Amino acid sequence: MSDTLDHTLYFTQVRLVTGADGRACWEEAQIPLDQGKPQARLSALMASGGFQLRESPVGFRSDFHCTGEPQWLFVIGGAMEIGLQDGSTRVFLPGDHFYSADVLPAGATFDAKVHGHCSRQLGQVPLRTLFVRA
């Protein structure tokens, strides 16, 4: 930590992960913003494996699936709903993000009634997202 920073701030990382029971669930982690200057606090530099942009048309929806490889997802435009096996949903709007890491457990065969999440576009504006591979 730089001596110009008198206390550490954190960025809350919303994470979609695979729980011990093999089901997707939400959790939060704190990323320290312990670098930079008081006017612009930064996290440590994180590696990435590239990025992709996606546009999903009005009416888009996916079946239950697991994340292939962990990645950040940032909503650039429109609205996105993520559904979990327990019936809960969470909506993400422009500027919102989450870290998608609900991968299929090692040795498991995908079961659409147990694993993963589903997603859909909401409203009358196409969904635009940015995926950044971890």
Side-chain angles (χ1 to χ4, degrees), residues 52-128:
Q52 288 181 298
L53 295 164
R54 180 178 81 180
E55 181 167 309
S56 301
V58 171
F60 165 82
R61 74 175 49 239
S62 74
D63 293 328
F64 276 92
H65 62 282
C66 289
T67 299
E69 296 197 25
Q71 59 191 350
W72 287 86
L73 185 147
F74 297 88
V75 176
I76 299 170
M80 175 183 219
E81 180 182 71
I82 300 293
L84 302 183
Q85 295 287 351
D86 65 6
S88 66
T89 61
R90 193 164 182 170
V91 174
F92 294 87
L93 302 173
D96 290 342
H97 72 279
F98 65 94
Y99 184 75
S100 187
D102 66 324
V103 297
L104 187 64
T109 300
F110 180 75
D111 181 344
K113 294 180 181 171
V114 175
H115 302 116
H117 66 279
C118 62
S119 63
R120 69 182 182 124
Q121 173 276 340
L122 297 175
Q124 297 304 310
V125 176
L127 173 63
R128 289 186 171 193

